[in-house]
Every structure is written in C-alpha cells, then in structure tokens.
Amino acid sequence: METVIDDKAEAAMRGLPVPAGAHAGAAPHLRRAGWPFIVIYGMAYTGLWMALLPPILLGLAMRVRVIAPAHATGSLSLVVGVGALMALFGNPFFGRLSDRTTSRFGMRRPWLVVGALGGAAGLAMIATAASVPQLLLGWCVTQLACNAQLAALAAILADQIPASQRGTVSGIVNISLPLGMTGGTFLVEALADSTLAMFLVPAAIALAAALLLAWVLPDHRLAAARRPRYGWREFLGSFWINPLRFPDFSWAWSSRFLLYAGVSLLMTYQEFYLIGQLGCAPAEVPRRIFLSTLVQSCAVAVSSVLGGGLSDALGRRKVFVSGAALLYALALLAIAFAASYPWFLAAMALAGVAQGVYLAADLALVTDVLPERETHAARNLGIFNIASVLPQSLMPAIAPGILSASGGSYAVLFVVAAILVALGAWAILPVRGVR
C-alpha cells in the first residue's frame, strides 16, 4: 500500500484511521478508528511484549543461572538495572527523533521496523552470550531497540485515535501486555531445550507484527521545513517536562512511577520468591511462572477492556486509576504473606484485575492531559514512559539492600512494594484536567 493514505474514502472503507493532515500538527480533529486497524495495532504491541517481557520474567534469570550460578542474584540485578537505564534513555530519545522524522515512509513507520529488527538482534546476543558482560550488552541493545519501537507505538495512540475512543483502545492495547507476557512465557517454557529458539521465536513474531502495522499505518509525513529544531537544549528537554507548567502530567507521571516500582519488584524477583519463600524446586519454576502469568494475564485482559470501556462511558479516569492502584497494593500484601502457591495464584489474579483497570484508564488519562500533543506527542509520551522504566533500574538496585536488612525476607520486600503503590493511588488525586 502507499506510504500515506490520502484518500479518506479508501481509508474509511478499509477500517483505518483517516489522517487529517500532512503532519502531526495538522490533525486537530480525528475520525474514529476502524476495528481492523485497532486489532493490528494491538497485535504489534502484543508482539513487542512477547519479545521483551519474558526475558525479564524468566529468560534472563535462566541465562544468569547458567552463566554465573555463584552470583546469580547480583548479576541479574546488574543486567536488569543497566538495561532499564537504556530504556530510560531510549524511549524519550527515540520519541523525539520520531517527532522530527521527515522520511518519505512517515514519522512512526521507520522506528517500528528498525526497532523490531534491533530487538531481534539484541535477543540473539542474549541467547548466545557466554559471559555476564555479553549478556548485559545484548540486553542493552534489546532495550534500546524495543523502546524505539515502543515510542512509535505510543505516539500512534495520540496521532490516530480520537479522545472518545482512547479509553477503549487503551484497554485493548493493554490486553496486549498479558497476551504477550503469557505467550512469550509459554514459548520460553516450550522451547527451553533450545536457548536460541527460546529468544528468537518471540522476536520473529514481534517483527512480523511490526511489519504488518507498518504496512497498514496511515502515517503522517512531516515536511522538512516544519521539522522542529534540535540542539543540546532540545536533547536535554527530551527527558524532562516542567512540572510547574504542566502539573497534571507531572502527577500522572508520579502515579505511574510509584505503581511500577511495585510491579518491577514483583516481576524481577518472582522466580527467587517462589524458590526462597514458597519452597518451589528450581526445575518447577518455569511451569509455575507460566501458570501465574496465565492467571494474571486473563485477569488483565478482562479488566482492561471492561475498565477502559467503562471509563469512556462515564467520562471519568481518576477514580479508576486511584482505585486500581489501591487494589494492586492489596494484591502485593497478599503475595507478601502467601503461605502456599494457590494463595500466590489468587493474589496474582487480583493483581491482574488491578493492573488491567489501572493501565487502561491511566493511558487514556495521560493522553488526555498530554502537553503539546500536536507537535511533541512521541517525545512527551516517551518522557511519561520513563515512569514505567526508571523503577526497573532503581528497584533492582535498592532491593538487595532491603533483602539484606530483612534477612532475605521477600515478605518485607513486597510490603515495601505495596506501600509505594498505595502512594501512587494518592498521587493521581491532584490531577485537575480530567475527572
């Protein structure tokens, strides 16, 4: 198909969103997106999460235990933490570049394709790594590439989806996270006998989905004359928005950061928690993590669609975001004091319900209050994504100290996580730009 669809009748007939202008700043009025486009958009997100999340949940820990079994916990914290710093830098940086891209292929399409290709290369490096430094390099490449793709995907929501559909589409997009997490974890377990296939099969699926979205995307073209200037001031501005000038965005950012502080602790230390607190045999951990991920994912899928749709119908965001954060904090407390694996599964289901509602309403909320949406959507959504990735770097660095001070108690670790998430529920209340 053509790089940019200019024929509005053709676009509507094919179920695609109709671009309202030749560049992002020329689209103040967006028509409703068709379901074919929404489904393909969700598939691209699913492929990305399928490639990116299983290494965090399981793959990196498995590789570390093979490469450096004597220092597995510290090595995992190093790899995850430094990789998260790459994501912290990469998402807003590539978002800024996406906002300035004048390619004849559009603003977002090049980064979808390049990001998916780079992610596959990084995962191949992880699969073949023979030392912790090689593993670290592969994970850094993966994080940079996947966050270039993620920056483009996030900007498409602001570019192509009108406000009246954002809660619903956000809910559908958020199904992609549990689907990708479950599918990817299943592949890791099913392909456990082949390290290369374990990482490259999800990468191939992610690449195929990204190419499909790139094919149907009615991307905006930015004229070279309209490209924003870019110098050191703009580079540094890629990582910061003035909280005094845009307080609603800042409060939403703070709430997301606090929620993901709890999420990152649960995701990073779930394997060690199952072994150390619940007494699971290491050989059983992949199957048990797959089962817990499946339970959580089903809960996320249902609650995300229902929560996002209800948020649109009622025209309210804050009550869903705050209430869901409190529910997630309760789930973390239940995990902290779980006495058995079935108890843990029930708590993971509760966490899934909370996470689905939170992400659907929160993504719609931040898109509604996004500063300078017409000219800097990808950059500002990249800055918002820092709230999701920064905890992945900070919390693995802090967690060993908490574990050391508590005598290795994962219960204490998850109580701390619950307190942080509860503070995230409070942080959304001062937002004034939405109900």
Side-chain angles (χ1 to χ4, degrees):
M1 61 176 282
E2 296 180 359
T3 304
V4 177
I5 296 178
D6 295 319
D7 189 314
K8 295 186 177 183
E10 180 188 356
M13 177 182 68
R14 296 172 65 177
L16 304 175
V18 181
H23 56 85
H29 302 293
L30 294 172
R31 294 180 59 178
R32 291 180 65 83
W35 279 105
F37 176 80
I38 293 172
V39 170
I40 294 172
Y41 182 44
M43 288 170 57
Y45 259 112
T46 301
L48 173 64
W49 296 133
M50 186 176 289
L52 185 61
L53 290 180
I56 301 175
L57 281 169
L58 189 57
L60 289 176
M62 291 174 66
R63 297 293 291 136
V64 164
R65 283 195 284 113
V66 171
I67 294 170
H71 307 285
T73 303
S75 296
L76 180 63
S77 294
L78 173 66
V79 172
V80 172
V82 176
L85 286 178
M86 295 299 103
L88 175 67
F89 166 81
N91 198 276
F93 175 72
F94 289 114
R96 168 75 83 166
L97 293 184
S98 178
D99 285 334
R100 302 182 72 255
T101 296
T102 57
S103 165
R104 67 187 182 91
F105 298 108
M107 299 173 68
R108 316 303 180 194
R109 185 179 286 109
W111 301 104
L112 288 174
V113 176
V114 171
L117 288 170
L123 289 169
M125 295 171 66
I126 293 172
T128 57
S131 66
V132 172
Q134 290 176 359
L135 187 69
L136 175 60
L137 177 61
W139 185 235
C140 288
V141 170
T142 302
Q143 283 281 26
L144 284 172
C146 288
N147 274 277
Q149 182 183 353
L150 184 60
L153 284 170
I156 289 170
L157 182 68
D159 287 350
Q160 307 288 350
I161 307 299
S164 61
Q165 284 185 289
R166 283 181 191 144
T168 300
V169 174
S170 296
I172 292 169
V173 164
N174 283 309
I175 293 177
S176 68
L177 190 148
L179 286 178
M181 189 163 54
T182 304
T185 305
F186 172 77
L187 288 175
V188 168
E189 182 185 14
L191 302 171
D193 292 335
S194 172
T195 302
L196 197 61
M198 181 195 308
F199 288 95
L200 290 191
V201 170
I205 294 171
L207 178 59
L211 291 174
L212 179 59
L213 177 61
W215 179 255
V216 304
L217 177 66
D219 205 359
H220 301 300
R221 289 179 185 164
L222 179 65
R226 300 186 64 89
R227 180 168 58 184
R229 60 169 292 181
Y230 193 70
W232 281 106
R233 183 175 180 179
E234 286 74 26
F235 171 76
L236 294 176
S238 298
F239 307 96
W240 184 77
I241 286 180
N242 189 333
L244 298 178
R245 186 180 175 194
F246 301 109
D248 282 356
F249 181 86
S250 301
W251 283 115
W253 190 99
S254 299
S255 176
R256 175 67 73 96
F257 173 86
L258 290 164
L259 180 99
Y260 266 81
V263 170
S264 65
L265 287 174
L266 179 57
M267 290 182 65
T268 303
Y269 290 96
Q270 184 177 166
E271 179 172 353
F272 296 118
Y273 160 85
L274 289 174
I275 295 172
Q277 180 159 321
L278 295 188
C280 296
E284 285 290 310
V285 168
R287 184 181 66 82
R288 296 206 173 196
I289 288 183
F290 168 70
L291 183 58
S292 67
T293 302
L294 179 63
V295 168
Q296 184 184 25
S297 298
C298 291
V300 169
V302 174
S303 65
S304 184
V305 174
L306 293 178
L310 192 57
S311 175
D312 276 346
L314 298 178
R316 303 181 71 91
R317 311 292 192 201
K318 290 166 60 175
V319 65
F320 290 94
V321 174
S322 184
L326 287 175
L327 189 62
Y328 198 94
L330 289 175
L332 285 170
L333 288 176
I335 291 170
F337 298 106
S340 65
Y341 183 70
W343 186 347
F344 169 72
L345 283 182
M348 289 295 286
L350 185 63
V353 171
Q355 189 171 353
V357 174
Y358 182 96
L359 292 177
D362 186 56
L363 185 56
L365 181 150
V366 76
T367 306
D368 289 345
V369 302
L370 191 68
E372 303 170 317
R373 183 165 56 240
E374 293 78 12
T375 54
H376 298 300
R379 182 204 70 176
N380 292 341
L381 284 167
I383 292 173
F384 184 70
N385 193 58
I386 291 174
S388 301
V389 299
L390 183 57
Q392 297 175 39
S393 179
L394 290 179
M395 300 317 296
I398 295 171
I402 298 173
L403 290 170
S404 177
S406 62
S409 172
Y410 289 97
V412 172
L413 184 67
F414 290 138
V415 167
V416 171
I419 293 171
L420 293 171
V421 172
L423 290 173
W426 171 84
I428 207 68
L429 300 180
V431 172
R432 297 182 180 273
V434 296
R435 299 171 59 197

